[in-house]
Amino acid sequence: MELLINMVLLTLLAAITIGIIRVRNLFAVVVLAGAYSFLMASVMMVLDAVDVAMTEAAVGAGISTVLALGALHLTKTEEAAPRYSAILPLFVAVGTGAMLIYGTWGLPGFGLADTPMNTGVGLDYLNRNMAETGIPNVVTAVLASYRGFDTLGEVAVIFTAGIGVLLLLKRFQREG
Amino acid sequence: MTLIQDIIANYNYWITIFLMVAGLYIVVAKSNMIKTLLGLAVFQTSVYLLYLSPGKILGGTPPILDPNFTVYSNPLPHVLILTAIVVGVATLALGLALVVRVHEAYGTIEEDEIMDVVDRDDHAG
Amino acid sequence: MRLDTILRVVSKLFIPFIFIFGLYVQLHGDFGPGGGFQAGVILAAGVILYAIIYGLNAAERAVPRALVEFLVPLGVLIFAGVGLWGIASGGNYLEYNKLIHGDAIHGQHWGVFLVEIGVLVTVASTMIAIFYAFAGRGRP
């Protein structure tokens, strides 16, 4: 059942992506991107990433949709017709995809517990966490405690991006 | 039977690759800047899937420890992707802000038309 | 959207619950899904909803622009300050074990709690500041 829900949601995700590529009205594209984010949040839910799903639902479907609509309001909502043929980009994309798909035969299957990834540091965090931090949500413990430096860097990146947007868009009062 | 097992084992990877390639195609083929940024966002979400799919363990639960459960999915990709999403929206906002400024300067958000304006200014000056 | 009665009434009902849910996600993040990043974007979404329905001026009266821009660096400073507190109490930077007189579990709880507050403040205020910047640009 888990597998079936996972596969259906992923198929819908791929269908919406085709819509995002083909539709030329940018307003429709932004709304499709919102639907894409909600579907992505559902997929993350099925993949047991509840914290990530909550963030994606609030960020992807909420805030980034609003920001993209704001940018559309300040620019224009219709994409121009393409000037060049799409053959070369399509060739590049299909070639890259074919090579990557060839690579998937070397990867471990879906949902297995004994892969190198799932027996390594992640399992270590799960085993040590309760004794060392006493916080049941391992994601919070790893985020704020074990990988605190990492998170400090991410917060600094968010801060920097915010300052950049303010510098670009804020109307500063001219003095004199 | 083994074909179906192959499909189940690799379906997440294939969709991940499809989304990644779709994002790449949008970035390369489209000249509208907002469309390009949304293509980059699709590219980015495919990376989220690439991290989260192998961390799932069938029959496991979300990594919130409870005495009633023993099998949990891998928490490490969740941590990495959680921060990546919020950083992603902050950088998307930065990109959109740049697009807004480009539109104010050139009156268009199509790369081709901007290049036309730049070429004309070069010839004029 | 100032004249749409249904949107105004429904959003007025919902916005307090969005904020309560945001605080729940923040403060319950140790025991259930949640934390500073999620709570930050939920609180920001609440403010953005208010601004969309009631107008930018009303939102700026409720959450002033200057306050938001003050909070953006404050969150980073709270986070970095917890790291310095770790050094001051005899550990490494961002080590929480020694924060509370060597009680490791207690120290971890305090460290994670404060760090998540810092994340919440920066994420929420950055998102609101970005929204104000985009919305204010369109104002004549």
Side-chain angles (χ1 to χ4, degrees):
Chain A
M1 198 61 200
E2 232 173 347
L3 278 172
L4 188 68
I5 296 174
N6 178 42
M7 290 171 80
V8 169
L9 287 174
L10 286 171
T11 313
L12 287 175
L13 210 54
I16 287 197
T17 315
I18 294 174
I20 291 179
I21 295 177
R22 293 190 61 86
V23 174
R24 283 239 287 280
N25 183 324
L26 292 175
F27 185 77
V29 170
V30 169
V31 173
L32 275 177
Y36 176 94
S37 287
F38 264 127
L39 268 177
M40 183 57 94
S42 315
V43 172
M44 286 163 173
M45 201 66 217
V46 176
L47 294 176
D48 284 347
V50 283
D51 293 84
V52 190
M54 191 186 264
T55 319
E56 173 72 19
V59 164
I63 291 179
S64 62
T65 307
V66 168
L67 292 180
L69 289 178
L72 283 186
H73 172 65
L74 296 174
T75 55
K76 53 178 76 165
T77 55
E78 199 68 32
E79 184 188 352
R83 283 195 194 181
Y84 308 107
S85 104
I87 303 265
L88 186 63
L90 204 60
F91 179 73
V92 170
V94 171
T96 316
M99 277 191 286
L100 288 171
I101 283 179
Y102 174 69
T104 57
W105 265 270
L107 289 172
F110 177 69
L112 304 178
D114 54 354
T115 59
M117 179 173 172
N118 292 338
T119 51
V121 64
L123 191 64
D124 199 39
Y125 284 138
L126 283 171
N127 291 334
R128 287 163 49 183
N129 176 57
M130 215 49 193
E132 285 185 358
T133 68
I135 294 172
N137 186 353
V138 187
V139 175
T140 301
V142 176
L143 181 94
S145 182
Y146 290 106
R147 301 182 74 90
F149 266 120
D150 193 359
T151 310
L152 179 59
E154 305 274 11
V155 172
V157 171
I158 295 166
F159 163 75
T160 315
I163 297 293
V165 172
L166 288 184
L167 283 175
L168 283 167
L169 289 186
K170 198 177 172 197
R171 292 181 193 277
F172 292 98
Q173 304 285 333
R174 286 223 179 89
E175 287 177 21
Chain B
M1 194 59 209
T2 132
L3 177 70
I4 294 175
Q5 279 167 345
D6 261 4
I7 291 176
I8 288 175
N10 284 323
Y11 197 71
N12 279 50
Y13 296 127
W14 291 342
I15 294 290
T16 305
I17 290 168
F18 176 79
L19 298 182
M20 194 175 277
V21 163
L24 181 70
Y25 173 79
I26 295 178
V27 172
V28 176
K30 303 289 178 178
S31 84
N32 184 295
M33 287 181 171
I34 288 184
K35 193 82 176 262
T36 311
L37 280 174
L38 291 173
L40 274 177
V42 169
F43 205 132
Q44 195 174 15
T45 44
S46 80
V47 177
Y48 304 162
L49 267 188
L50 180 69
Y51 268 65
L52 293 175
S53 297
K56 163 78 180 166
I57 293 173
L58 280 178
T61 65
I64 295 165
L65 299 178
D66 188 280
N68 296 328
F69 297 100
T70 50
V71 181
Y72 302 99
S73 292
N74 193 342
L76 187 57
H78 303 182
V79 177
L80 301 176
I81 297 309
L82 178 57
T83 52
I85 289 178
V86 183
V87 170
V89 73
T91 49
L92 176 73
L94 191 62
L96 289 172
L98 281 169
V99 171
V100 168
R101 290 305 294 265
V102 165
H103 183 260
E104 285 173 6
Y106 292 96
T108 175
I109 51 170
E110 304 282 334
E111 284 165 16
D112 301 333
E113 294 172 12
I114 291 168
M115 289 317 291
D116 290 348
V117 174
V118 171
D119 287 344
R120 205 175 57 228
D121 288 355
D122 282 353
H123 287 298
Chain C
M1 272 185 235
R2 312 259 163 83
L3 298 174
D4 199 324
T5 316
I6 294 175
L7 281 178
R8 288 173 70 94
V9 171
V10 170
S11 64
K12 193 162 243 174
L13 277 175
F14 266 155
I15 286 171
F17 290 105
I18 292 177
F19 282 110
I20 294 286
F21 180 63
L23 288 177
Y24 166 77
V25 166
Q26 165 77 19
L27 300 173
H28 204 254
D30 292 2
F31 306 101
F37 285 98
Q38 296 93 322
V41 289
I42 290 171
L43 292 183
V47 175
I48 291 174
L49 176 64
Y50 186 76
I52 290 175
I53 302 292
Y54 290 91
L56 190 57
N57 292 331
E60 281 187 8
R61 274 198 301 280
V63 187
R65 210 176 262 254
L67 173 72
V68 171
E69 285 166 17
F70 171 73
L71 289 178
V72 171
L74 182 71
V76 185
L77 290 178
I78 291 175
F79 202 138
V82 174
L84 290 179
W85 185 21
I87 293 182
S89 55
N92 293 320
Y93 191 72
L94 285 175
E95 182 185 344
Y96 311 142
N97 282 341
K98 296 179 181 143
L99 287 186
I100 312 290
H101 310 299
D103 183 350
I105 298 282
H106 204 169
Q108 288 282 348
H109 274 290
W110 268 100
V112 169
F113 177 75
L114 290 174
V115 159
E116 294 277 11
I117 295 279
V119 173
L120 168 87
V121 169
T122 287
V123 170
S125 57
T126 307
M127 294 300 151
I128 298 171
I130 290 173
F131 174 76
Y132 278 175
F134 272 93
R137 197 77 181 175
R139 198 158 47 181

